[in-house]
Structure formats: structure tokens, C-alpha cells
């Protein structure tokens, strides 16, 4: 039954609960991630009935082409956003790294959850068990669908060959294990942990070897910007530190006008109320690169006072963080913009333009 815009359900005992529909991709990882978010929401709102609506996206359907070649920014999000726009779902759970830095009109990220390990991991073919990238034989083939990973690793391991591998996590692992095409593949550590496959990780790549993608390891909840009650509801899951780190990363990427089709990488950390952002851009083969680090203070002196002033209408790089003070949010975004400008001043635009052209020509 529905009452105006809200849906309700009556259980066998006659108890009436509000129904919130949650959109997700159909892949096993997406389902696991969405289930974990719904479990967390249920802890805060035990009287709400959450129903999960799974759907296939363009990115799930086009499996024979490298992501960077398809050139569509919202590969994994468009169908979900259409459902959100039509009120078929009330909120959508995404991997934050799949969400473009500018969201379509009327949408916002209402919550950025506590980040898991954002680094990349090496998964070896069973016959190479116990090895690592350093010890693989010359000309060994490593699978990755990411220009960012390939650019950094080609420079570091010129003796290895890097080839595209597409598909969801299950598909990629199957391609690795059941054929002899790849000696290893590179995947996000967070996804492997969430799937319970951490035993397949042979090595985690630290920032000195391979910096990660903007937003990697963090889950995000996208909502309709006008739905104040839903925005309020999901904001309880906002993790301040993750939100600030990801705002800086997203602002950096946005300033560079980067996306899936260019190699841009980041590394962030918070120490003693200072947010450190390292950002880099690469040529496709990694031979040309620019990398810089900047920092800013994200301490909020009068937390309580600030709390009152949070403007619900303000989105920063697509994120509305109701439970995070405004001054640190502004500082985080400025940090990303400033670092982007620093790299642009040193020639980042040229590196990325050539990378984009070469990728288009592949």
C-alpha cells in the first residue's frame, strides 16, 4: 500500500512498516556490498522494511571491450539512476569509484561509508602459487582492465606483459584459473575481501608500487537530492574521514577532467588532523608521469557550532555529507583542486591528452 510518495507493507501481525527500495547491480559482489549496507541501515532503522532491486547495467553487459574504450562515464550507474529518477528505487548502493565526479542533475551521494583497504592486489594463477610480480618469469602476462594499473606497473615491471581482462570478479578469476592466458591478474583488494576470497591475494601493492583509483575501497549511497528524509536516513552511515579523503580525491580528478579513459592515481591519508593527498598522472606505458603531494588541515575547532551550519543543499563533488562539518569539507575539496592545478601547471594536460588519443586509437 502507499500513502503519497511512501510505500508501506503490513506483516502477518498487522504491523505496518515503511518500505525503502534499494537498487543494486546484479553481480555477486554488488549484491554482497548492498546487503552489507542494508544490514547497517537496519541496525539504525529496525522498523523499516528494506527491499533490494537488482538490475544489469551497460558495463555488466559489454564484456568484450576494455572499459576505457567504451568511453561512457556512467557505465555501471546509468540504469540504476534511471530507476532512482522514476521512483522505482529510493536509494542505490555503488562502489564510489564507479561514480563520475559530476552526477546528473537531481542526484547526490548521501553517504560515503568507512573505506576498506583501497589498494590493489595481485592474484596468481594456481601454478605460480607463492610467487609475486617481482619473481614472475620474463614475458609473463598480467591481466588488468585498468589503464591506471597498467601504466604504473609497466614502468615498474618492464619485463612483464599487460593485457586487458574484462568481466566481474568471478569471471576474471575463472579466466585466470581455467586457462593459461594469464600468470596473474590485478584486482581491488576490497572486492576480494568482501567476497571472502582474501586467501587468493598473494601481494598487496603499496602506494610506492601502484597508487589506487579515486574512491577505491569505499561504498557510496546515491539518493535523490530532494528527498530530505532519505538523505537524513543514509547520512548516519557517513564516515567523516573517508568522506573527506574521497572529496579531495574526486576534486583532484575533476580538476584534471579525468575519467575511466585516462591513467590517474591517488593516495590519501589522515595524520594529526592533516589530510595528505598524493596525486599522479601517467602516459599509457608509464614512461611519462607527474606526481605531487599536498596537505591541508581538516580539524574543526568548534565541532558543535559547525554542525548547526551544515547546508543540506550543498554538494561537494557530488557528495552531500550532512554529518561532517563544513570547514573540513571545503578544505578537502580545495586540496584536490589545488593539487590538480599544480599538476596541470607542470604539463598534466598534455600527458593525459596523448594518453586519451593513444587509447582511442588502440
Amino acid at each position: 500500500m502507499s500513502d503519497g510518495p511512501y510505500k508501506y507493507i503490513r506483516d502477518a501481525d498487522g504491523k505496518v512498516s515503511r518500505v525503502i527500495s534499494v537498487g543494486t547491480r546484479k553481480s555477486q559482489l554488488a549484491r554482497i556490498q548492498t546487503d552489507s549496507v542494508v544490514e547497517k541501515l537496519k541496525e539504525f532503522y529496525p522498523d523499516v522494511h528494506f527491499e533490494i532491486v537488482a538490475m544489469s547495467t551497460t558495463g555488466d553487459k559489454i564484456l568484450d571491450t576494455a572499459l576505457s574504450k567504451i568511453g561512457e562515464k556512467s557505465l555501471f550507474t546509468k540504469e540504476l539512476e534511471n530507476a532512482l529518477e522514476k521512483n522505482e528505487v529510493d536509494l542505490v548502493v555503488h562502489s564510489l569509484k564507479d561514480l563520475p565526479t559530476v552526477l546528473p542533475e537531481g542526484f547526490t551521494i548521501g553517504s560515503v561509508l568507512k573505506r576498506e583497504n583501497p589498494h590493489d592486489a595481485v592474484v596468481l594463477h594456481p601454478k605460480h602459487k607463492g610467487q609475486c610480480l617481482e619473481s614472475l618469469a620474463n614475458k609473463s602476462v598480467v591481466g588488468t582492465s585498468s589503464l591506471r594499473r597498467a601504466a604504473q606497473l609497466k614502468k615498474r615491471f618492464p619485463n612483464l606483459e599487460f593485457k586487458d581482462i574484462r568481466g566481474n570478479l568471478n569471471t576474471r578469476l575463472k579466466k585466470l584459473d581455467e586457462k593459461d592466458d594469464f600468470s596473474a591478474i590485478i584486482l581491488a583488494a576490497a572486492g576480494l575481501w568482501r567476497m571472502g576470497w582474501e586467501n587468493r591475494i598473494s601481494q598487496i601493492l603499496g602506494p610506492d608500487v601502484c597508487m589506487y583509483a579515486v574512491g577505491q575501497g569505499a561504498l557510496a549511497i546515491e539518493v535523490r537530492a530532494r528527498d530530505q528524509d532519505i538523505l537524513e536516513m543514509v547520512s548516519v552511515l557517513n564516515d567523516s574521514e573517508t568522506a573527506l579523503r574521497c572529496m579531495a580525491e574526486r576534486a583532484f580528478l575533476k580538476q584534471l577532467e579525468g575519467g575511466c579513459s585516462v591513467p590517474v592515481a591517488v593516495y590519501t591519508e589522515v595524520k594529526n588532523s592533516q589530510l595528505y593527498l598524493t596525486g599522479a598522472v601517467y602516459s599509457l606505458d608509464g614512461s611519462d608521469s607527474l606526481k605531487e603531494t599536498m596537505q591541508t588541515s581538516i580539524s574543526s575547532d568548534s565541532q558543535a557550532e559547525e554542525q548547526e551550519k551544515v547546508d543540506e543543499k550543498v554538494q561537494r563533488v557530488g557528495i552531500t555529507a550532512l554529518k561532517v562539518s563544513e570547514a573540513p569539507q571545503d578544505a578537502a575539496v580545495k586540496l584536490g583542486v589545488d593539487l590538480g592545478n599544480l599538476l596541470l601547471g607542470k604539463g598534466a594536460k598534455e600527458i593525459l591528452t596523448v594518453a586519451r588519443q593513444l587509447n582511442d586509437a588502440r
Side-chain angles (χ1 to χ4, degrees), residues 255-314:
Q255 201 60 18
L256 293 173
E257 292 176 22
C260 251
S261 51
V262 288
V264 174
V266 292
Y267 172 70
T268 46
E269 58 181 337
V270 173
K271 281 195 302 214
N272 305 325
S273 298
Q274 292 284 314
L275 171 59
Y276 295 83
L277 169 65
T278 301
V281 301
Y282 304 89
S283 58
L284 288 191
D285 64 358
S287 59
D288 207 359
S289 65
L290 286 168
K291 178 172 161 184
E292 293 290 344
T293 303
M294 289 176 82
Q295 70 191 80
T296 190
S297 166
I298 50 164
S299 68
S300 176
D301 304 328
S302 48
Q303 190 79 26
E305 254 178 54
E306 284 285 351
Q307 215 69 39
E308 298 307 306
K309 291 189 228 157
V310 176
D311 184 348
E312 290 149 0
K313 304 279 183 297
V314 175

Side-chain angles (χ1 to χ4, degrees), residues 51 67 115 162 167 174 197 205 209 212 222 253 309 313 323 326 330:
E51 63 174 19
L67 290 181
R115 191 176 216 166
F162 294 86
K174 212 173 159 146
W197 294 340
L205 300 174
V209 178
Y212 43 80
E222 188 179 18
L253 182 64
K309 291 189 228 157
K313 304 279 183 297
K323 302 275 189 277
E326 294 213 319
D330 289 335

Side-chain angles (χ1 to χ4, degrees), residues 310-350:
V310 176
D311 184 348
E312 290 149 0
K313 304 279 183 297
V314 175
Q315 262 195 49
R316 292 170 179 83
V317 280
I319 299 170
T320 305
L322 291 189
K323 302 275 189 277
V324 185
S325 305
E326 294 213 319
Q329 291 191 55
D330 289 335
V333 170
K334 184 177 186 303
L335 177 66
V337 171
D338 289 349
L339 186 66
N341 285 335
L342 179 64
L343 261 58
L344 287 169
K346 295 186 174 216
K349 194 69 145 187
E350 292 68 25

Side-chain angles (χ1 to χ4, degrees), residues 208-221:
D208 51 328
V209 178
C210 189
M211 297 202 306
Y212 43 80
V214 167
Q216 186 161 315
L219 297 180
I221 305 176

Side-chain angles (χ1 to χ4, degrees), residues 30-40 52:
R31 290 301 306 260
I32 287 172
Q33 292 178 168
T34 302
D35 289 346
S36 76
V37 170
V38 167
E39 284 310 310
K40 289 185 175 80
I52 295 175

